[in-house]
Amino acid sequence: MKRLFLASVIALMSVVNVLAGSPQQVKVDDVECGNKVTMTATAKAKYHFVEWLYNGSTFSGNQANPYTTPAIHENREYKVRWKLNPKVVVEVNDPAVGDAYIGAVGTTEEIVDKLGDNVTVTAEVLDDCYKFVGWKKKGAPDTDPYLATTLNYTVTNVGNPGSLIPATYPADQEDVLTLVAVFEIIKYSVTVISDDDDMGTVSAVEN
């Protein structure tokens, strides 16, 4: 996937190249020896800044944004790494009896525009003999409690630490939260009573 973003270099300061994903490149010429360069990376919607690389490698402080270089005594080249924001996906345990979507019917996944956004998921019962039970994280043990038991559930603060789906490192690892809408059949009880056991017996069976 080609990732095009904006990186800016603020300086009056050897040459420092800042590569912000092919094909964009910002170049600061005529940086005076001993001066520094401050670089700022601004991601487009649905992406976020991860880190700076110097000569293809990480370095101490490389996750700062903006980042100010040490004093310049040589030509330098920095590259910025971006990552796709976390994605929320909805599924159902039985598509024949229920539906799940994000926003509009038929939309089953959403990548947040920016870290910290909220995503609201909706479940819908399609069969009168079934009921919605709750939302579970896909792969969670059956003994885990439901995240919510309401048809509408909002996943808050997506991508930030402490959320259900924080953005993770490294940059090439996809962050996906899959929520399953759980439906189950409604069960009733039918009681049959004999008004006089001396006169006869009754029985009943489900079919």
Side-chain angles (χ1 to χ4, degrees), residues 131-143:
K131 64 181 179 180
F132 173 72
V133 181
W135 294 98
K136 275 204 169 185
K137 190 174 181 179
K138 187 174 182 178
D142 292 339
T143 54

Side-chain angles (χ1 to χ4, degrees), residues 9-30:
V9 178
I10 307 168
L12 291 173
M13 315 170 200
S14 59
V15 175
V16 177
N17 296 331
V18 180
L19 306 180
S22 175
Q24 195 207 12
Q25 175 174 303
V26 177
K27 188 176 183 180
V28 181
D29 289 320
D30 301 323

